Amino acid sequence: MKDDHRSPFRDAHTDRKAAEGVPDTPQTRSPAYALAFADDEFLCRDELRPVRLQLELLKPEMLMNEAGIKSTIVLFGGARIPDPEHKETARTKTLADLSHYYDEARTFARLMTEKSIASGGTENVVVTGGGPGVMEAGNRGAVDAGGASIGLNIVLPFEQAPNAYVTPDLSFNFHYFAIRKMHFLMRARAISVFPGGFGTLDELFEALTLIQTGRMERVPFLLFGRAFWESIINWDALSDAGTISADDLDLFRFVDTAEEAIEIIDNWGPTEKRGAVPGR
């Protein structure tokens, strides 16, 4: 991370290093004496939650700005969907059958990254949750194209790590789901959603709600796998019940291949925010 020090005052790095060499006394050993910004226990106190929220918003934002990333292509999808080469390890036959979406995600990310590189590599950079399954396929596709991609990991109760294909300098880790979601969408120029579970559904509906309510531009919104999505969600029933409007069903498109997705993105049309919510 860049640190262009232009202030005439002594900088924080220097003072932190100096504080490490102070004489060992009862006073200097006390937690109270530690510099506040260098005190991990202090920063983890409940009262410091607003500061931690700000830091999680700020750090990835600064690093992505420094990397020149202007816009992203969001790729959501299930962590449990295997690479087709290893589909025999899938927990269920359905997951094994869904493994071809790993290849579609990989191809989609490769094609989008090739287009990104052709325009300078700062627009339409692929971003995933940084984990396994479909997320791995997205980052892997970017590597296939010779480009960079972003991974937004989050700390979970079980052991996990970023997949091996995330660009190291664009691999981020989060404590707060809410801030992670903001980073998914702050630069989004298209959202692609592959089959997945609770996490994928959460991301899908949160993003759709932001677009539905006019809080976010109407970017290309692609659901890969019509058969999967129509089998788990009765979209028409929501419209028929009046809980959403018929116009809301036009906020997204079903696709089954990477090539279909690219064509829709290229021909999406205007992306202005909604001025009102239809049906209210």
Side-chain angles (χ1 to χ4, degrees), residues 83 85-86 102 106 109 113 126 128 130-151 153 161-171:
D83 179 341
E85 291 185 5
H86 307 294
Y102 181 105
R106 184 176 175 180
T113 303
V126 168
T128 80
V134 167
M135 295 173 280
E136 174 188 283
N139 297 116
R140 189 175 180 180
V143 170
D144 292 339
S149 66
I150 304 161
N153 265 95
N163 69 67
Y165 303 99
V166 179
T167 300
D169 288 344
L170 297 173
S171 182

Side-chain angles (χ1 to χ4, degrees), residues 153-167:
N153 265 95
I154 190 154
V155 178
L156 297 173
F158 46 86
E159 185 178 352
Q160 54 96 46
N163 69 67
Y165 303 99
V166 179
T167 300

Side-chain angles (χ1 to χ4, degrees), residues 42 53 162 176 198 203:
F42 176 67
L53 286 162
Y176 296 107
F198 285 166
E203 292 156 345

